[in-house]
Amino acid sequence: MLPKIHKRNAAERDKINRIELVKLKTFVMIKKRLRSNLLNLILILFVFKYDNVNAQEYYRTMPFTHTPLYALKGAFKTSGAIYSMAVYSFNKENNKLQSIIYELNGRPKPFYDNYTSSTFVFASINEFEYKGNEIIVKHFDYLKRPYKDKPTTSKYQLDNMGRIIKLAYFDNDGNAAELNGIHNYNWIYFKNKIGEIRYNKEGTIQPINSWFPYDWALLEFDRDNNLISIIETDENWNIKGDSVKIQFTIENNEIKKWVAINTKTSQKTSNTGSGASETRHDYDSNGYLIRTRFFDTNSNRMRSKWGHMGFVRKYNDYGNRLSYNFIDVNDKKTISARKYSGQKFVWDSKGLYRILTYYIDSEGNPMVRPSVGYSQIEYIYNSDGVEIGRVLKDIEGNIFCKEKQESFILLKNHDNKFKKIYLCE
């Protein structure tokens, strides 16, 4: 009997060993998957850092330097409060962003070129949808209407690690559209930097923007997702002999200045869109940009390629821009090479609508901007807040008529459709 018992125990031991081996392999596999999923989760949380305020609250400051990759990674505050200042409110569910709405006192606000937000959050209402490795953003104006002159849809593509690798713009009919001359962005991830390249609808490579006219570039972010450097490269992401590195100085999540450096010599360079090798920015307590100044390679004030040494801006309590002026070496308001000093903006009593703009001299008086020929633009709205007219005027307030710069008003027909009536015909 002993041999049989011994044989049975050996078989049982083999069976137990096989079971334990399967358990061990299963445990190792689960551990690996957990580790991989955890890493993916960490990367996703890094890219979509929605639980904290990072990098320029409400997108109110510096619209010129940011990539749309930053716009999705950057600042936000969750909604729930009524703000007396125009802000972007961010709404999320299950830790996913659902909408970004530009609003004032809880009401969607028209989006104007008032430079109080990121260039890449360009609509009054932005709604998010998530489909697998894609984020679809629908863009609407303050009346929930699709835009006619801007993209109505942004499509972000993610890789299997949750990283954004592409963005493309489309119009309301699903055709390729452009924002600032760019149809799509592509990103490639390296160890500490991210490569970015941009194309128009025809597939031609486009520079970053007028400030940084570089085609191929490496981006570097800090731990708070602030953009801290842009490095010009060749098409293989290698730094060239005459490459430019833009170094940003960040304080309180605001870009206080940037300096352009030649990567070969480590010396300052003026190879930038403005011709400045250094630009400094100042902000008010609400985070609005109130002054920008240009400096040469010797840190002396200089006139940029755009015909001025910098500019100052003023805002009202609603956060609307009231004016901007070009400034001289002593920060005094001046007439720039563009032959005017700046602009003033008049708003309705509730701060929602811009109703008048006019060009000004250094004393703040209305003047004609030579390149356009007129002095003022009056904006007309109906009782529903729909813009139904724009009237170009001279200094005295008379209607200004010139080819391709026509004043108009929209009149509603019996079928409830608007007809554009040109006032100069």
Side-chain angles (χ1 to χ4, degrees):
M1 295 294 294
L2 287 177
K4 291 183 179 179
I5 294 175
H6 184 74
K7 187 176 182 179
R8 185 175 69 247
N9 289 341
E12 288 178 352
R13 284 197 301 271
D14 289 340
K15 183 178 180 180
I16 291 171
N17 288 339
R18 287 195 300 272
I19 292 173
E20 292 300 319
L21 181 61
V22 171
K23 287 182 178 178
L24 179 61
K25 288 182 177 180
T26 302
F27 174 77
V28 171
M29 181 180 66
I30 292 173
K31 187 175 181 181
K32 286 183 177 180
R33 288 183 177 177
L34 283 174
R35 185 185 299 118
S36 176
N37 289 337
L38 182 60
L39 288 174
N40 288 344
L41 179 60
I42 291 172
L43 285 168
I44 290 171
L45 288 176
F46 175 77
V47 174
F48 303 104
K49 201 171 181 181
Y50 290 149
D51 294 325
N52 298 300
V53 176
N54 301 314
Q56 303 184 350
E57 293 184 13
Y58 307 121
Y59 292 112
R60 278 207 296 264
T61 54
M62 282 310 297
F64 301 114
T65 56
H66 303 321
T67 153
L69 184 66
Y70 164 90
L72 207 58
K73 293 171 69 173
F76 84 96
K77 277 192 173 181
T78 54
S79 61
I82 301 298
Y83 298 100
S84 60
M85 180 177 291
V87 297
Y88 273 103
S89 62
F90 292 71
N91 306 282
K92 63 177 183 177
E93 293 179 7
N94 300 321
N95 289 324
K96 284 189 175 181
L97 196 57
Q98 302 299 316
S99 68
I100 303 176
I101 303 175
Y102 187 52
E103 60 185 11
L104 175 64
N105 290 320
R107 181 176 175 180
K109 176 177 167 46
F111 181 88
Y112 300 107
D113 52 346
N114 58 2
Y115 302 107
T116 59
S117 65
S118 168
T119 306
F120 305 103
V121 185
F122 57 86
S124 294
I125 300 173
N126 307 271
E127 296 184 347
F128 288 71
E129 182 181 357
Y130 300 84
K131 291 184 177 181
N133 283 359
E134 192 174 51
I135 301 175
I136 301 172
V137 188
K138 293 289 186 180
H139 307 291
F140 304 95
D141 70 8
Y142 63 103
L143 296 174
K144 199 62 184 296
R145 301 173 303 184
Y147 284 100
K148 296 181 180 179
D149 57 347
K150 299 178 183 179
T152 60
T153 305
S154 294
K155 292 186 177 181
Y156 290 88
Q157 183 180 341
L158 282 63
D159 64 14
N160 292 329
M161 301 179 70
R163 302 176 303 189
I164 308 165
I165 57 174
K166 186 175 182 178
L167 163 65
Y169 298 117
F170 300 91
D171 64 20
N172 203 39
D173 296 320
N175 301 315
E178 293 179 346
L179 182 66
N180 302 317
I182 298 172
H183 165 56
N184 69 72
Y185 292 78
N186 293 270
W187 295 285
I188 181 170
Y189 289 76
F190 299 99
K191 183 177 181 180
N192 297 315
K193 296 178 178 63
I194 302 171
E196 179 183 284
I197 186 68
R198 299 143 302 279
Y199 300 90
N200 63 13
K201 290 189 294 185
E202 286 71 40
T204 303
I205 295 175
Q206 299 298 300
I208 296 174
N209 52 37
S210 60
W211 289 69
F212 308 117
Y214 316 124
D215 294 339
W216 300 79
L218 291 172
L219 312 176
E220 185 179 13
F221 297 86
D222 66 13
R223 296 180 64 181
D224 289 328
N225 293 328
N226 291 297
L227 182 63
I228 57 174
S229 76
I230 296 173
I231 305 174
E232 180 189 14
T233 73
D234 63 19
E235 62 272 18
N236 296 312
W237 309 109
N238 297 314
I239 298 176
K240 302 182 296 183
D242 59 347
S243 287
V244 178
K245 179 177 183 179
I246 306 297
Q247 294 180 321
F248 299 101
T249 298
I250 309 294
E251 295 179 16
N252 298 321
N253 292 325
E254 294 174 342
I255 297 174
K256 292 296 185 181
K257 73 174 183 179
W258 58 258
V259 178
I261 302 294
N262 182 293
T263 56
K264 182 178 181 180
T265 64
S266 297
Q267 301 297 311
K268 289 183 178 181
T269 177
S270 59
N271 186 15
T272 63
S274 64
S277 63
E278 181 179 336
T279 299
R280 301 176 191 174
H281 306 290
D282 299 298
Y283 307 87
D284 65 15
S285 59
N286 294 314
Y288 288 125
L289 178 65
I290 58 174
R291 183 174 65 171
T292 291
R293 294 172 292 166
F294 300 116
F295 298 82
D296 62 20
T297 55
N298 295 314
S299 297
N300 297 316
R301 294 289 296 276
M302 63 162 284
R303 183 185 295 270
S304 71
K305 292 180 181 178
W306 302 323
H308 56 85
M309 291 188 168
F311 49 82
V312 291
R313 295 174 180 157
K314 288 186 178 181
Y315 306 85
N316 63 14
D317 291 339
Y318 290 122
N320 296 320
R321 186 174 56 152
L322 293 178
S323 66
Y324 72 85
N325 281 91
F326 303 119
I327 54 177
D328 62 19
V329 67
N330 298 311
D331 293 342
K332 301 295 183 182
K333 298 174 184 177
T334 187
I335 300 291
S336 76
R338 300 178 181 183
K339 306 301 182 183
Y340 69 102
S341 178
Q343 260 183 304
K344 283 193 175 180
F345 306 86
V346 181
W347 302 81
D348 75 308
S349 60
K350 294 182 179 180
L352 283 172
Y353 306 109
R354 182 180 61 184
I355 58 178
L356 181 69
T357 71
Y358 57 96
Y359 293 102
I360 54 176
D361 61 22
S362 57
E363 302 299 322
N365 300 313
M367 66 171 291
V368 171
R369 178 178 176 180
S371 63
V372 298
Y374 60 85
S375 172
Q376 309 174 50
I377 303 179
E378 181 180 355
Y379 302 84
I380 303 172
Y381 305 84
N382 67 11
S383 58
D384 296 322
V386 177
E387 183 183 326
I388 59 171
R390 291 189 182 187
V391 182
L392 280 62
K393 300 179 179 182
D394 60 19
I395 293 179
E396 287 75 27
N398 301 311
I399 296 178
F400 172 82
C401 293
K402 186 178 179 181
E403 185 181 359
K404 296 183 180 179
Q405 297 202 8
E406 299 171 314
S407 300
F408 70 89
I409 188 169
L410 300 177
L411 297 180
K412 189 174 291 187
N413 290 330
H414 61 86
D415 57 1
N416 216 33
K417 294 182 178 179
F418 285 106
K419 180 180 181 181
K420 181 178 285 189
I421 305 297
Y422 292 98
L423 303 182
C424 292
E425 290 182 347

